[in-house]
Amino acid sequence: MSKQKKPAKIGVYVCHCGTNISHTVDVEKVREWASKSLDGEGVVIARDYKFMCSSPGQELIENDIKELGLDRVVVAACSPHLHELTFRNASKRAGLNPYLTELASIREQVSWVHTDKEAATEKAKAVVTGAVERVIENEPLEELKVSIHPDTLVVGGGIAGIQAALEIANAGKKVWLVEREASIGGHMAQFDKTFPTLDCAACILTPRMFEAGNHPNIELMTWSEVTNVAGYVGNFSVTIKKKPRYLKEELCTGCRICVEKCPKKIVDQGYEAGIGYRKAIYTSSAQAVPKYPVIDTENCNFFQKGACKICEKSCPTNAIDYEQKEAFLTVEVGNIILATGYDLFDARKVSNYGYGRLPNVFTSIEFERMCNAAGPTSGDIVLRDGKTTPKTVGIIHCVGSRDRNYNNYCSNICCMQSLKFAHLVKERTGATVYDFYIDMRTPMKAYDEFYQRVLEEGTLFVRGKVAQVTDAARKASEEGKLMVQVEDTLIGKQRRIPVDMVILSIGMEPRHDAKETGKLFGIGCSANGWFTEKHTKLDPISTMTEGIFIAGTATGPKDIPTSVAQGSAAAARVLNMIMRGEVTLEPIKASVYQGQCSGCRICNSLCPFNAITFLEDRKVSEINPALCQGCGTCVAACPAGAISGTGFSNDQILAQIDGLLMDVTLADA
Amino acid sequence: MSDYIFYPGCAMESNAKAYYDSLMEIAQPLGINLQEIDDWNCCGATEYVGINLIPAYSLIARNLALAAKMGHKTIISPCSACYLNLAKADYYMAERPSLGEKVNEALAAGDLQYTPGSLDIRHLLDVLINDIGLDKLKEKVVRPLKGLKVAPYMGCMVPRPDYHNRWSDAEHPTELFDVLKAIGAEVVDFPGAATCCGGHMTQIGPETAYELIRRLISSAEKSKADIMVTVCPMCQLNVDAYQGETNSHFGTNYNMPIVFFSQLVGLALGFPPEKLGFGSEVTSTEKALAQIGVDIPESAIAEGKKRQQEGLPMPLCMRKTTTSESKHAEEAKA
């Protein structure tokens, strides 16, 4: 505290947050500390209030600014993530530059993580002192304004991405819809029926696919991937790689004669989930959008052995082009929606269920294809031999989900999916169905009614986690059956139930490359690998990076209605940005003092937002203020100390540390 | 030649002598140099850990402490129970520092000390696959076991709990399968590969053990195996020596031999059966070995040892009183 400080008039406002803070922190003591012990630092008023973020709470602050002429404000409440903006706006309304208001987090970092009231109160005092010392060093800052480009990029053409693209396109704005696969539709296009209404998935999805594929405002880019993202909110510059289909789309009529004639038949691990076949030139299904086939070079006789060319010979419009190369194009967009979806859990990991070893153990996605009238069995439910109808079927919930060995979370859709399967098996085969569940979770609209219906249909429910599925018979009556070993927790007994077929309800997992995707777009993933929302409840479709939105199962397991709603919600946020035309950026930015920069370029590669460029001619680095998100990484990394940040200058940080380390026990008399 | 610390364990000196003998034969050609721990002691088998933790872990850790002074990092334990015990002690001494401290306090009485993590505790099968390698094993095969149908029985204690991710899978490990394939045997589908043989239930709840043994043998029979192959002295003992009791309990007529994998590896490497402990088993391997033209000489077949009566007779074991005796007792009471 030896440093000559600027004289300041500071108001300190301590929030109870109902009992969230006051339960663990003695709020009155913190207020008293601020008013009695920090008056030397310039604190002229300290107040506490039950809900500082409520209207009356904010008015307290505004009135004090106006009447006492405060020139600095510290609010001791929740995390800046939640309410920094709220209190900065309050200051702004009262005529104070918003960047002269600091939020001291005594909820997330104190009351929510401690139980010892006395120690927590001491810590809260220290945190408040740190914020007071820091705010003295704060400078008034002016916000930047940037314009918003009216085009939007949607990544992922599943139901969430399609929905988002259609909403924006129907509002008259242009959308680039980029899909990695050859057709849009995502996982939903593989399904047979959808719970709880038993609508056919194709019947409700294909019209949307068609609409998206033919919309004048949608530039559909299938078989394409985003490879680079530069720029910032309102002004992204995105590079898209268009993989070669090996045919000229402008000539192809989608007649599929090439597909029929192709002599190479292979197991389709994609759309048909490994229980059906496709050709080396193929479309995922007859309903594919766009209708153009793709050549799978790994399995094509011509690409592998140099001979065949039957597709070229049979094409009536000469559309086949073996020479086609990948193409790159760069598009300018203002906002980006990521609807990149999910991967399925690999059931082979749960080796005690025998998937991959025991032929008549199927996964839920295999079963979806089996039920589908357009699938490999034309909708017949049969064993792996392709002809025998099972007389007894066991369905196992939570495979890979809610299990500390695999994924600890609930996959949200498996209960309803399993119930749907139970109904379909009963309806189509009349087989006895055993449904093995841990807990039955049917909380959405009309879901529990569907559960009641399946109960009434006579499916036999066994509450217990299945230990093992085995073909090792213990007695003659078990020969040739799959034995399901399970503890029935409702009767408290071990049971061995013989079945002909087992269906594993496999859970959802983040995309295997979700982390790389997150890095590409500058957003984070949770510990489980799902994209992280800005706020799980109040802002579930925004991210920490302005202008990047997320929708659908990319943020966690969810059902179709929720994915659709999120697609629409993300579109609404984007349209809101477009309508505003410009957006203000936080002025919390780093900048390089070029006289001190040695051009070592350490900061260049560290910046998570690619905001730093190296000026070759002058051999110094420069930070683009529009790209900089003020994270401070470069400031900490610069060996010459040439980078400093507005809003987090060395003076501010050191003053805050001084405050944090001040002996706060003094005034406790 | 690679040097390894060798912890045989008690079974290798008695009921699993065949395991020891065959290992001693195949070690040389495979380039395994075994250096036995001097003055090792019993690991406490499967029981002691369940009775009293600190003494049990001290008993195990004494071997680890002696081994750690030998200058190599890797210790081979062919017996599954020993392997699991050594691995357990090493793991939990680190995981629960208070346990580690107490065990070291006990070891200090004998001027010993063990720092958890200072040894790599490996099962023989794991060393054979991952250090020696299946390619080298294949190279050394002079008599492929073509035509011998084997059921690979790994047992329950090796692949679980697998503290250091050394095994392919807990429920369906493939290691034994791979080794037997490499020596030319025909490996049958054996779903019970990692299930329990009953362990010491033969002593405390024989009916449970008989049922577990029956499941294993019937499964091997069903897959038309000539012989079962194991990596564990306990498994070998239960399936082999208790096969008679199991048969009389269920009225079955099983005749399924079971041997150690090192014995079959020895055969494939060209050693004569009498050097590999064949003939010491209770359920004869004669018929199975005839499939590959191997004959066990008469001399190798163990004769029932006679108990030598020396000194004073022992008191009788405590037994459940028979019904007639208890009736007497009740009458006497009345």
Side-chain angles (χ1 to χ4, degrees):
Chain A
M1 306 294 137
S2 56
K3 201 173 149 241
Q4 191 56 43
K5 262 204 283 285
K6 310 168 194 166
K9 291 176 88 174
I10 309 170
V12 175
Y13 301 88
V14 190
C15 179
H16 293 239
C17 194
T19 55
N20 266 311
I21 294 171
S22 60
H23 176 71
T24 325
V25 171
D26 190 332
V27 174
E28 285 82 4
K29 270 209 174 121
V30 177
R31 187 210 58 219
E32 214 171 288
W33 161 261
S35 65
K36 287 190 179 151
S37 305
L38 298 178
D39 55 345
E41 311 299 309
V43 174
V44 293
I45 181 80
R47 299 181 191 272
D48 65 285
Y49 189 67
K50 210 156 191 64
F51 293 106
M52 207 55 87
C53 61
S54 64
S55 295
Q58 292 186 52
E59 277 161 21
L60 272 182
I61 301 172
E62 290 174 53
N63 290 340
D64 283 353
I65 293 171
K66 287 177 193 152
E67 285 164 25
L68 304 174
L70 300 181
D71 59 11
R72 299 279 190 283
V73 171
V74 169
V75 183
C78 52
S79 159
H81 275 317
L82 193 63
H83 276 314
E84 188 177 67
L85 193 61
T86 309
F87 294 112
R88 284 189 169 167
N89 283 340
S91 305
K92 199 170 164 182
R93 283 196 300 272
L96 181 67
N97 182 288
Y99 296 92
L100 299 172
T101 295
E102 280 289 333
L103 202 52
S105 172
I106 61 167
R107 189 179 76 167
E108 281 80 350
Q109 290 177 4
V110 183
S111 72
W112 275 1
V113 290
H114 297 298
T115 48
D116 178 340
K117 191 158 183 170
E118 207 164 309
T121 306
E122 302 284 281
K123 182 174 170 184
K125 285 197 256 174
V127 171
V128 170
T129 311
V132 166
E133 295 299 336
R134 178 189 175 115
V135 83
I136 295 167
E137 301 295 335
N138 280 21
E139 300 282 350
L141 301 172
E142 289 313 316
E143 289 164 338
L144 300 170
K145 284 192 164 25
V146 295
S147 62
I148 301 284
H149 193 290
D151 296 356
T152 307
L153 170 72
V154 176
V155 186
I159 185 61
I162 291 173
Q163 183 68 20
L166 286 174
E167 295 277 14
I168 298 167
N170 287 335
K173 301 293 172 193
K174 182 172 176 168
V175 180
W176 295 88
L177 177 55
V178 176
E179 166 58 51
R180 179 154 57 182
E181 298 296 333
S183 164
I184 55 173
H187 279 105
M188 189 179 166
Q190 293 174 278
F191 298 164
D192 175 45
K193 298 274 185 286
T194 56
F195 55 77
T197 51
L198 299 175
D199 281 325
C200 149
C203 310
I204 56 182
L205 176 68
T206 42
R208 295 270 163 107
M209 287 164 65
F210 182 81
E211 193 186 346
N214 293 282
H215 203 293
N217 290 335
I218 297 180
E219 286 281 350
L220 186 57
M221 296 197 58
T222 50
W223 207 237
S224 304
E225 288 179 43
V226 174
T227 56
N228 189 40
V229 181
Y232 49 95
V233 57
N235 304 272
F236 292 105
S237 177
V238 181
T239 310
I240 303 166
K241 178 174 80 176
K242 206 168 173 341
K243 296 177 280 188
R245 283 178 186 264
Y246 302 103
L247 55 82
K248 298 190 180 78
E249 293 175 15
E250 63 277 13
L251 296 178
C252 175
T253 61
C255 71
R256 292 168 54 100
I257 289 175
C258 56
V259 179
E260 271 165 50
K261 298 285 185 207
C262 174
K264 189 76 185 278
K265 197 171 167 188
I266 40 179
V267 175
D268 182 357
Q269 296 295 355
Y271 185 74
E272 295 292 6
I275 64 161
Y277 297 89
R278 65 162 167 81
K279 298 292 188 65
I281 184 165
Y282 69 100
T283 60
S284 59
S285 72
Q287 289 82 31
V289 173
K291 58 198 174 192
Y292 319 120
V294 168
I295 294 182
D296 163 15
T297 54
E298 304 266 302
N299 289 297
C300 164
N301 286 342
F302 172 69
F303 277 94
Q304 293 302 322
K305 300 174 190 155
C308 181
K309 293 200 174 184
I310 287 174
C311 51
E312 188 181 48
K313 289 167 200 149
S314 62
C315 177
T317 59
N318 294 324
I320 302 287
D321 174 12
Y322 298 121
E323 299 299 307
Q324 203 173 57
K325 297 278 174 283
E326 59 186 28
F328 290 86
L329 83 152
T330 301
V331 301
E332 305 296 320
V333 295
N335 295 281
I336 297 173
I337 297 173
L338 297 178
T340 48
Y342 65 94
D343 278 344
L344 284 158
F345 173 78
D346 182 355
R348 286 170 305 190
K349 287 182 187 164
V350 193
S351 59
N352 36 326
Y353 291 172
Y355 179 69
R357 215 165 20 85
L358 305 171
N360 293 322
V361 178
F362 293 85
T363 61
S364 39
I365 193 74
E366 283 180 319
F367 191 74
E368 286 281 2
R369 293 308 304 149
M370 189 188 285
C371 286
N372 194 303
T377 63
S378 311
D380 289 340
I381 295 171
V382 287
L383 298 183
R384 193 77 62 171
D385 64 8
K387 48 182 195 283
T388 313
T389 306
K391 291 193 173 59
T392 319
V393 177
I395 301 171
I396 304 178
H397 290 230
C398 300
V399 178
S401 312
R402 301 184 67 203
D403 184 330
R404 53 167 25 168
N405 298 305
Y406 311 104
N407 294 320
N408 58 0
Y409 52 83
C410 163
S411 272
N412 192 305
I413 50 103
C414 315
C415 276
M416 284 302 291
Q417 167 180 279
S418 305
L419 292 171
K420 175 181 77 180
F421 291 163
H423 167 82
L424 291 174
V425 172
K426 271 247 173 289
E427 183 184 53
R428 297 187 193 180
T429 66
T432 305
V433 181
Y434 288 94
D435 182 291
F436 302 97
Y437 68 101
I438 309 177
D439 294 300
M440 191 59 75
R441 296 181 169 181
T442 52
M444 307 288 280
K445 190 174 180 181
Y447 283 14
D448 208 71
E449 294 89 319
F450 186 76
Y451 175 31
Q452 304 297 334
R453 174 180 170 183
V454 176
L455 276 165
E456 281 162 22
E457 284 170 357
T459 290
L460 302 163
F461 287 89
V462 178
R463 183 174 176 275
K465 195 170 169 70
V466 172
Q468 190 183 33
V469 178
T470 177
D471 60 346
R474 289 184 190 171
K475 41 186 197 266
S477 63
E478 298 184 356
E479 291 292 349
K481 293 276 182 190
L482 288 172
M483 300 306 301
V484 179
Q485 178 82 42
V486 60
E487 181 193 2
D488 187 329
T489 57
L490 296 181
I491 59 171
K493 281 201 167 66
Q494 278 286 340
R495 294 173 71 180
R496 271 171 77 77
I497 297 173
V499 297
D500 300 324
M501 178 190 217
V502 168
I503 305 166
L504 306 176
S505 239
I506 49 178
M508 291 185 180
E509 281 191 339
R511 286 280 188 205
H512 59 280
D513 56 354
K515 271 205 166 51
E516 288 84 71
T517 307
K519 242 185 117 103
L520 183 66
F521 291 92
I523 63 167
C525 294
S526 68
N528 281 325
W530 304 101
F531 290 152
T532 309
E533 313 86 342
K534 191 165 190 173
H535 191 283
T536 48
K537 299 178 198 69
L538 297 175
D539 208 350
I541 39 112
S542 296
T543 63
M544 288 296 181
T545 305
E546 286 270 313
I548 311 272
F549 300 93
I550 44 183
T553 50
T555 72
K558 49 182 67 72
D559 56 7
I560 293 167
T562 315
S563 293
V564 172
Q566 285 207 336
S568 292
R573 290 295 294 272
V574 166
L575 289 169
N576 159 330
M577 300 275 272
I578 296 170
M579 297 296 288
R580 275 192 288 169
E582 62 174 18
V583 64
T584 50
L585 294 185
E586 278 240 311
I588 308 287
K589 304 287 173 197
S591 60
V592 181
Y593 174 59
Q594 295 184 338
Q596 229 166 311
C597 171
S598 64
C600 75
R601 307 186 62 172
I602 285 175
C603 58
N604 292 201
S605 54
L606 283 175
C607 176
F609 307 100
N610 307 321
I612 310 180
T613 45
F614 184 68
L615 305 174
E616 283 292 348
D617 52 341
R618 310 219 314 276
K619 297 281 180 276
V620 290
S621 292
E622 187 177 54
I623 298 175
N624 176 341
L627 284 180
C628 172
Q629 302 285 325
C631 73
T633 306
C634 58
V635 180
C638 178
I643 311 180
S644 74
T646 52
F648 54 100
S649 65
N650 284 351
D651 288 347
Q652 282 171 289
I653 302 288
L654 293 169
Q656 185 168 17
I657 292 170
D658 277 344
L660 279 166
L661 298 177
M662 197 190 277
D663 185 356
V664 293
T665 53
L666 287 178
D668 268 9
Chain B
M1 289 299 262
S2 326
D3 292 332
Y4 291 98
I5 305 167
F6 178 45
Y7 176 66
C10 318
M12 300 283 274
E13 297 190 337
S14 51
N15 57 302
K17 189 87 173 60
Y19 202 179
Y20 184 84
D21 292 346
S22 51
L23 173 56
M24 288 304 132
E25 296 296 339
I26 64 171
Q28 173 67 26
L30 291 174
I32 305 173
N33 183 20
L34 296 169
Q35 300 173 359
E36 192 168 320
I37 302 171
D38 187 36
D39 192 33
W40 58 264
N41 55 267
C42 167
C43 72
T46 53
E47 297 90 336
Y48 201 14
V49 172
I51 293 167
N52 200 339
L53 214 60
I54 310 274
Y57 278 172
S58 306
L59 193 71
I60 302 165
R62 182 178 175 274
N63 298 306
L64 294 172
L66 291 171
K69 294 203 293 193
M70 292 173 64
H72 304 300
K73 197 162 161 52
T74 309
I75 175 167
I76 289 188
S77 166
C79 164
S80 304
C82 296
Y83 165 73
L84 181 57
N85 273 343
L86 295 178
K88 247 187 199 165
D90 180 65
Y91 181 79
Y92 286 115
M93 279 174 76
E95 164 120 318
R96 306 177 195 161
S98 66
L99 175 74
E101 275 165 38
K102 286 187 180 126
V103 167
N104 268 316
E105 226 169 280
L107 292 179
D111 286 333
L112 290 169
Q113 181 275 337
Y114 180 65
T115 311
S118 44
L119 289 169
D120 263 342
I121 294 146
R122 310 267 300 276
H123 192 274
L124 176 62
L125 182 62
D126 161 26
V127 169
L128 178 59
I129 290 179
N130 296 311
D131 290 13
I132 312 304
L134 292 174
D135 293 342
K136 183 166 178 182
L137 176 62
K138 275 183 201 155
E139 265 170 51
K140 298 273 172 194
V141 170
V142 295
R143 175 168 48 193
L145 308 185
K146 206 166 157 10
L148 184 67
K149 294 199 183 71
V150 295
Y153 180 37
M154 186 99 155
C156 64
M157 284 194 286
V158 173
R160 282 180 284 237
D162 195 8
Y163 297 112
H164 301 290
N165 288 327
R166 297 192 195 281
W167 302 95
S168 53
D169 189 78
E171 303 286 337
H172 297 277
T174 58
E175 282 81 1
L176 190 52
F177 182 98
D178 295 339
V179 166
L180 293 166
K181 265 259 177 294
I183 58 173
E186 188 182 325
V187 190
V188 302
D189 181 39
F190 187 60
T195 57
C196 173
C197 67
H200 289 106
M201 289 307 283
T202 48
Q203 313 304 310
I204 44 178
E207 292 188 8
T208 304
Y210 299 156
E211 170 59 16
L212 293 170
I213 294 166
R214 183 194 70 80
R215 285 180 198 171
L216 288 165
I217 301 173
S218 77
S219 174
E221 286 239 324
K222 227 177 281 142
S223 359
K224 305 233 172 356
D226 301 318
I227 192 163
M228 282 170 71
V229 180
T230 183
V231 305
C232 169
M234 186 84 248
C235 297
Q236 200 279 337
L237 180 77
N238 275 4
V239 176
D240 186 26
Y242 284 91
Q243 201 161 142
E245 269 94 335
T246 305
N247 276 335
S248 50
H249 182 75
F250 292 106
T252 47
N253 195 11
Y254 292 124
N255 191 11
M256 176 60 67
I258 176 164
V259 294
F260 295 101
F261 79 107
S262 52
Q263 294 176 270
L264 287 191
V265 170
L267 280 184
L269 299 191
F271 291 99
E274 56 271 26
K275 286 212 157 183
L276 302 168
F278 283 103
S280 62
E281 66 278 346
V282 177
T283 310
S284 169
T285 53
E286 258 181 293
K287 207 168 131 225
L289 296 190
Q291 302 275 4
I292 47 169
V294 173
D295 196 19
I296 306 171
E298 265 323 297
S299 61
I301 298 187
E303 284 179 35
K305 285 181 198 153
K306 288 208 177 82
R307 279 259 174 86
Q308 288 191 346
Q309 288 287 353
E310 276 181 23
L312 300 171
M314 281 288 291
L316 288 174
C317 293
M318 285 242 310
R319 269 206 220 110
K320 270 195 223 158
T321 48
T322 60
T323 44
S324 61
E325 279 173 21
S326 59
K327 261 188 196 155
H328 278 299
E330 276 165 36
E331 280 166 22
K333 266 187 202 166

